[in-house]
């Protein structure tokens, strides 16, 4: 993160910029059981099972993704980069035990009505080379745009009608710090009101990937599944949110019916 911040003044984001083409590969990866248990607790997943939560491979690949996006030849500045969406496909259960191979690559850049979006793909394979899990995340760098631009991928215009409320969650002020310790994502906007204010937030905000994981822990998913989630607005900490779900769709809303997250679960 520090390297990315130092290089950011030299970045010139645009959809047609060159980007790193070589993936980063992490062979022989093993899961830290204590860290996994901490992640399961903060996200609401059951602990002690020999199956990784659907979102956990993203956590394992996050350091490699940060390394790619902080490189000199990655054209988008790391500070201020916004995680706008994620799509995850799991072909079968990923066991906690044993070794895994993770790869992370930049798939490409695309114009966005507010700037330029980068797609980062993370894949998990068995030692035999079978792809068992894959995610595609989009990250937005806001900047002035010229000429025609594409709308945000996967999002519809306007605010959808609320889904039936299933539960309400009171989020503690240290949720970001606890998730950061378990996941390794210690972005200062999530940790403390003072550091969040440096980036324009009145208080610390919850990690987007925590909101997805918490919703999926409540929703449940089949073994072979595709999940899509779009991040609509930050969740301020502390705070109260409502979780709604129906027919494979889920969402998170805050006071005043503010929509924070929408998503859907489809059998793969």
């Amino acid at each position: 993160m520090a390297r990315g911040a130092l290089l950011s003044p030299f970045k010139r984001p645009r959809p047609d910029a060159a980007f790193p083409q070589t993936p980063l590969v992490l062979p022989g990866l093993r899961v830290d059981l204590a860290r996994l248990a901490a992640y399961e607790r903060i996200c609401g997943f059951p602990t002690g099972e020999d199956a990784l939560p659907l979102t956990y491979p993203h956590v394992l690949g996050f350091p490699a993704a940060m390394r790619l996006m902080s490189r000199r030849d990655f054209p988008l500045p790391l500070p201020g980069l916004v995680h706008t969406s994620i799509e995850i496909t799991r072909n079968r259960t990923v066991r906690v035990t044993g070794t895994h191979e993770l790869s992370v690559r930049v798939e490409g850049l695309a114009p966005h009505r507010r700037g330029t979006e980068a797609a980062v793909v993370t894949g998990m394979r068995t030692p035999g080379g079978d792809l068992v899990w894959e995610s595609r995340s989009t990250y937005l760098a806001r900047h002035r745009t010229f000429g025609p631009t594409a709308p945000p991928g996967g999002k519809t215009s306007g605010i959808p009608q609320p889904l039936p409320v299933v539960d309400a969650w009171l989020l503690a002020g240290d949720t970001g710090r606890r998730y950061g310790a378990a996941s390794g994502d210690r972005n200062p906007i999530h940790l403390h009101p003072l550091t969040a204010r440096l980036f324009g937030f009145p208080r610390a905000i919850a990690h987007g990937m925590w909101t997805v994981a918490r919703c999926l822990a409540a929703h449940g998913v089949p073994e072979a599944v595709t999940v899509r989630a779009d991040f609509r607005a930050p969740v301020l900490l502390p705070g109260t949110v409502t979780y709604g779900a129906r027919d494979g769709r889920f969402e998170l809303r805050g006071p005043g019916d503010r929509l924070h997250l929408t998503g859907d679960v489809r059998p793969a």
Side-chain angles (χ1 to χ4, degrees):
M1 189 174 293
R3 175 183 171 84
L6 290 173
L7 293 174
S8 63
F10 305 101
K11 303 293 182 76
R12 296 294 181 266
R14 64 182 194 278
D16 60 347
F19 57 87
Q21 300 286 336
T22 304
L24 291 180
V25 180
L26 307 174
L29 188 68
R30 291 185 179 274
V31 174
D32 183 320
L33 298 182
R35 195 166 181 177
L36 171 62
Y39 176 87
E40 291 168 333
R41 286 191 294 269
I42 184 64
C43 296
F45 292 108
T47 60
E49 297 186 351
D50 188 24
L52 291 181
L54 179 66
T55 48
Y56 198 67
H58 173 88
V59 172
L60 296 175
F62 182 73
M66 287 290 291
R67 184 175 176 183
L68 267 180
M69 291 189 288
S70 63
R71 283 175 44 164
R72 185 181 299 274
D73 55 350
F74 183 74
L76 307 186
L78 194 57
L81 207 60
V82 180
H83 195 182
T84 54
S85 74
I86 186 168
E87 183 170 284
I88 299 172
T89 296
R90 183 176 67 188
N91 298 319
R92 65 174 186 265
T93 298
V94 181
R95 299 298 176 193
V96 172
T97 53
T99 60
H100 314 278
E101 179 184 283
L102 268 177
S103 64
V104 182
R105 61 184 173 88
V106 180
E107 183 181 66
L109 305 177
H112 186 283
R113 61 188 175 86
R114 293 181 179 175
T116 298
E117 220 169 36
V120 178
V121 175
T122 302
M124 175 176 275
R125 296 180 182 273
T126 66
D130 295 331
L131 182 67
V132 293
W133 184 99
E134 187 174 65
S135 73
R136 183 181 187 272
S137 285
T138 55
Y139 296 91
L140 171 65
R142 293 189 178 98
H143 60 84
R144 189 176 180 184
T145 59
F146 300 92
T149 59
K155 296 183 183 177
T156 57
S157 59
I159 302 298
Q161 289 297 310
L163 297 175
V165 174
V166 177
D167 204 354
W169 301 326
L170 178 62
L171 310 183
D174 67 347
T175 300
R177 292 191 291 277
R178 291 173 59 207
Y179 181 83
S183 68
D185 183 353
R186 293 184 173 86
N187 189 321
I189 63 175
H190 304 301
L191 304 182
H192 195 276
L194 292 178
T195 53
R197 288 189 195 114
L198 297 176
F199 295 88
F201 297 100
R203 305 197 300 273
I205 65 173
H207 294 72
M209 284 305 300
W210 177 84
T211 64
V212 174
R214 184 67 186 89
C215 287
L216 292 178
H219 189 283
V221 295
E223 180 178 8
V225 65
T226 295
V227 170
R228 164 86 189 198
D230 291 293
F231 305 107
R232 306 291 293 256
V235 176
L236 296 176
L237 299 172
T240 302
V241 292
T242 57
Y243 161 69
R246 182 175 58 195
D247 299 332
R249 297 160 55 211
F250 62 89
E251 67 180 20
L252 208 61
R253 290 180 183 259
D257 213 26
R258 189 182 192 193
L259 185 60
H260 296 295
L261 172 76
T262 60
D264 62 84
V265 177
R266 307 185 304 273

